[in-house]
Amino acid sequence: MEFETIEVKKEGTLAWLILNRPDKLNALNLKLLEELYQAVKNFDSDNDVRVIIITGKGKAFCAGADITQFTELTPVNAWKFAKRGREVMDFIESIGKPTIAMINGYALGGGLELALACDIRVASEEAQLGLPEINLGIYPGYGGTQRLTRIVGKGKALEMMMTGDRIPARDAERYGLVNSVYPSADLEKETRKLAEKISEKSPVALSLIKEIVNRGIDSSLLTGLSMESLGWGTIFSTEDKKEGVDAFLKKRKPNFKGI
Ligand code: CO8
C-alpha cells in the first residue's frame, strides 16, 4: 500500500514506520494520523512482522499536531481531531505486537504522545522531548496528560506540562521517559539490535505481557496479579511454551512460532 506522509518497510521480522513530512518536522495532520493508523493495522495483521519500530525522517521524530490546522478548526472539529488522534494512540498501545519509538530528534506535543503510546522509547543524544502545548494556550490532547504521568510520576509530568520546557534525552532517560540513549550514529543499529532480540521471543508471551501490564497499571494490585495468574492457563497451553522448555532442556536455541 502506498502512503503519502509515511514510509513503511519490512526487514525480516521487523517493520519500520517512518513519519515522512521532514520539512514540517513530521507534524501530525489528519492525513498522517490516518496513514499511521492504517500502517500499524497492516503490520499488526501481518504474520511475518514481530516488532514495529516508529521513527521520523529528518531532524525530528515528530513536532506534534500540525499547528497550521488549528486556525481553521471549529470547537467541534477540534474535539474530533483530538479524539481521532487519541484513538490512533490508543490503538497503537493496544496492539499485541511490541512497538519501539526510535526518537531521532524532537518529540514534542502529539509527537511525544505518539512515543508514549509505544512500549519502549529509545532516543538519540540530540533528541529533545516535551509537551509545549501550554505555550499555545492549550494542553496535551493525544493522551499525554495520562500516559506521561503514569511513566514519570505526577510531579515531573505536571512540571513538563506546566512549563512546556523541552527536556534533553539524557534527562529524559533519568526520569524513565526513555529507556536508552545513544549517539545518533548508533541509534538505528542499537534499535535494530533491541528489536531483533525481542523478535526472537514468543509472540504469544509478548502479547500477554503487554495486555497484562497495560490493563494492570489501571487496576488494583490484586486485580493485576489476578490477571497475571489467569494468563498462566493460556501461556501453558501454547506450542511456544513447549518449544521454550524443550529448547532449554536440550540446550538449543528456541524457535518460537507464535502458536
Ligand atoms: N505544526 C506545524 N508545523 C510545524 C510544527 C507543528 N507542530 N512544528 C514545526 N513546524 C514547521 C515550522 O513551521 C517550519 O515550517 P516552515 O519552514 O514552513 O516555516 C518547519 O516545521 C521547521 O520548523 P522550524 O523552522 O520552527 O524549526 P526549528 O529548528 O527552528 O524549531 C521546534 C524546531 C523548536 C520544534 C519548533 O518548530 C517548534 O516549536 N514547533 C512547534 C512544537 C509544538 O508546539 N508542538 C505542539 C503542537 S500542539 C499538539 O501537539 C497538541 C496535540 C493534541 C492535538 C489536539 C487536536 C485538536
Side-chain angles (χ1 to χ4, degrees):
M1 186 175 217
E2 284 295 307
F3 295 108
E4 274 175 39
T5 59
I6 57 174
E7 264 180 37
V8 289
K9 60 177 181 184
K10 287 207 293 184
E11 213 181 72
T13 55
L14 310 187
W16 291 81
L17 198 162
I18 304 154
L19 309 187
N20 188 18
R21 293 185 75 209
D23 51 330
K24 297 294 171 195
L25 306 188
N26 303 317
L28 302 164
N29 57 17
L30 269 172
K31 175 96 185 159
L32 199 158
L33 266 182
E34 289 309 329
E35 291 194 341
L36 178 62
Y37 171 76
Q38 195 54 52
V40 173
K41 198 159 175 256
N42 294 349
F43 284 147
D44 189 36
S45 52
D46 183 335
N47 285 335
D48 297 336
V49 171
R50 296 246 178 137
V51 177
I52 300 170
I53 301 155
I54 302 180
T55 190
K57 188 165 258 189
K59 71 175 182 182
F61 173 74
C62 171
D66 190 325
I67 300 169
T68 61
Q69 295 196 343
F70 289 3
T71 51
E72 305 138 26
L73 285 179
T74 62
V76 169
N77 285 338
W79 169 69
K80 285 185 183 165
F81 187 22
K83 184 167 175 287
R84 183 63 190 143
R86 211 205 77 214
E87 284 167 358
V88 174
M89 305 309 159
D90 291 352
F91 175 69
I92 292 170
E93 188 178 60
S94 77
I95 63 165
K97 294 181 184 178
T99 53
I100 301 175
M102 187 179 92
I103 304 173
N104 51 305
Y106 295 113
L108 303 174
L112 178 57
E113 292 172 300
L114 169 61
L116 290 169
C118 294
D119 301 325
I120 296 176
R121 286 159 290 284
V122 293
S124 77
E125 274 171 348
E126 292 73 28
Q128 294 184 27
L129 298 85
L131 291 176
E133 287 90 340
I134 190 74
N135 299 325
L136 301 169
I138 55 174
Y139 65 85
Y142 291 165
T145 58
Q146 305 308 304
R147 289 197 178 97
L148 183 67
T149 308
R150 280 162 172 74
I151 291 170
V152 302
K154 185 175 152 187
K156 185 47 74 181
L158 282 172
E159 184 188 328
M160 284 178 68
M161 282 181 255
M162 288 177 167
T163 62
D165 285 350
R166 299 198 294 267
I167 291 180
R170 286 283 175 207
D171 289 348
E173 187 183 26
R174 278 197 297 120
Y175 305 146
L177 177 51
V178 299
N179 299 56
S180 318
V181 176
Y182 302 103
S184 58
D186 297 334
L187 181 65
E188 196 173 316
K189 180 186 71 187
E190 294 297 335
T191 306
R192 187 175 286 112
K193 223 191 273 177
L194 172 67
E196 276 167 355
K197 181 186 277 188
I198 296 172
S199 74
E200 289 170 5
K201 314 294 182 197
S202 160
V204 196
L206 290 169
S207 180
L208 278 167
I209 288 171
K210 262 190 89 159
E211 188 72 14
I212 294 166
V213 168
N214 283 335
R215 295 288 74 76
I217 210 163
D218 286 330
S219 318
S220 68
L221 178 62
L222 203 58
T223 307
L225 291 171
S226 175
M227 283 193 283
E228 183 185 275
S229 310
L230 289 169
W232 270 79
T234 307
I235 207 65
F236 248 71
S237 68
T238 63
E239 289 296 318
D240 279 356
K241 172 252 154 191
K242 272 192 216 148
E243 168 66 8
V245 173
D246 188 63
F248 175 80
L249 295 175
K250 292 185 176 144
K251 301 186 189 304
R252 63 173 175 85
K253 203 171 169 235
N255 177 17
F256 295 117
K257 297 207 166 72
I259 48 174

